[in-house]
Amino acid sequence: SFQKLNGILRVEGIKEAGIFAETDISEGDLCLSINGVPAISENVAMRALARTQGNVALLLFPMANFWRSMVELTIETKYDRWWKSSSECVLFVGNDNTHPINLVFSQETGLCTIQDNTDSDVQVKTMNTIIHRVMKLLQQSIQSYISTPKKKRDSSRSLSVSPSGKLQNPSDVYKRALVKLDEMRESGRFSEEEYARAKRALTENAINTAN
């Protein structure tokens, strides 16, 4: 089943006997398209699944992988990492386990908070800035398929949808997010460092899953 939070469809539950039971799909993953159809709502997603015969092509953005990438990209290497769960990472230095730093990621917003050891020198501001902007890019990519274009776009920077509303390429949502990422850098809203980190995280986490 799916749930829409902050404009993005998320995998809410996987049935034990369902078609995704033996796949790598996890609860909390973002669903961007199903068989090329933009996942703009729960109803659209369920209809796309109901029409499926045979394999299902999903474009997913695995949040657990994204969070791991963010920790690796923004947290100093002096900290050892232990992932207590897919959304909670414990940091500690060497053999010092007496003052762990707990990073907890929100399933709703994707953002990171430090719990317990709030006096540590670990900073999550940069991480949260990148997470927020990447999430916003994905939201804008999905929303762009809902609104009708008011003017002809430059073909070198646009992505098309067939008359039926089906994406001509199953990775178009992801490509549109990259286009918006480039635009944000060009407008100065992203620094070169933020751009490189966000693009790397976006690239590493956009995958097609078939069952």
Side-chain angles (χ1 to χ4, degrees):
S1 61
F2 300 98
Q3 180 184 20
K4 194 170 185 178
L5 289 173
N6 298 320
I8 306 178
L9 213 60
R10 299 166 187 260
V11 177
E12 184 179 29
I14 300 175
K15 296 181 179 179
E16 293 184 2
I19 59 176
F20 303 126
E22 297 182 2
T23 67
D24 292 331
I25 300 173
S26 302
E27 292 186 12
D29 286 353
L30 307 185
C31 180
L32 304 180
S33 71
I34 300 176
N35 289 335
V37 178
I40 60 177
S41 70
E42 296 97 320
N43 289 337
V44 169
M46 297 309 295
R47 286 200 299 269
L49 285 176
R51 291 195 297 266
T52 298
Q53 295 181 352
N55 292 340
V56 180
L58 297 182
L59 180 63
L60 298 176
F61 191 85
M63 289 303 296
N65 292 353
F66 179 45
W67 290 327
R68 285 177 179 268
S69 296
M70 284 291 90
V71 169
E72 293 307 312
L73 287 169
T74 62
I75 300 299
E76 293 181 82
T77 56
K78 70 177 183 179
Y79 292 102
D80 292 322
R81 290 99 154 114
W82 172 55
W83 284 87
K84 188 175 180 179
S85 69
S86 61
S87 60
E88 184 174 356
C89 180
V90 181
L91 306 177
F92 52 92
V93 179
N95 296 322
D96 182 10
N97 298 325
T98 58
H99 300 90
I101 303 166
N102 297 315
L103 305 181
V104 179
F105 294 87
S106 168
Q107 294 288 350
E108 182 174 346
T109 65
L111 299 179
C112 177
T113 58
I114 298 177
Q115 292 189 351
D116 301 328
N117 193 352
T118 56
D119 294 329
S120 71
D121 61 351
V122 172
Q123 298 293 324
V124 297
K125 182 178 179 180
T126 298
M127 182 193 303
N128 280 335
T129 297
I130 296 173
I131 291 174
H132 173 73
R133 291 181 178 179
V134 168
M135 296 292 284
K136 188 173 182 179
L137 286 170
L138 294 176
Q139 292 168 7
Q140 292 174 341
S141 299
I142 294 296
Q143 288 298 317
S144 64
Y145 288 107
I146 300 176
S147 58
T148 302
K150 295 182 179 179
K151 62 181 180 179
K152 186 176 180 180
R153 299 177 180 176
D154 180 354
S155 60
S156 66
R157 298 183 66 83
S158 66
L159 299 165
S160 58
V161 181
S162 69
S164 65
K166 188 172 183 178
L167 293 170
Q168 293 185 355
N169 186 313
S171 63
D172 274 1
V173 175
Y174 167 60
K175 290 180 180 178
R176 188 181 291 273
L178 286 179
V179 169
K180 289 186 178 294
L181 188 63
D182 289 337
E183 292 173 349
M184 291 179 73
R185 179 184 63 170
E186 292 169 5
S187 66
R189 295 166 64 188
F190 258 158
S191 67
E192 287 297 326
E193 182 180 5
E194 288 176 330
Y195 171 81
R197 287 176 171 175
K199 185 174 183 179
R200 177 178 168 184
L202 196 60
T203 302
E204 289 178 351
N205 287 278
I207 62 170
N208 281 299
T209 304
N211 178 37

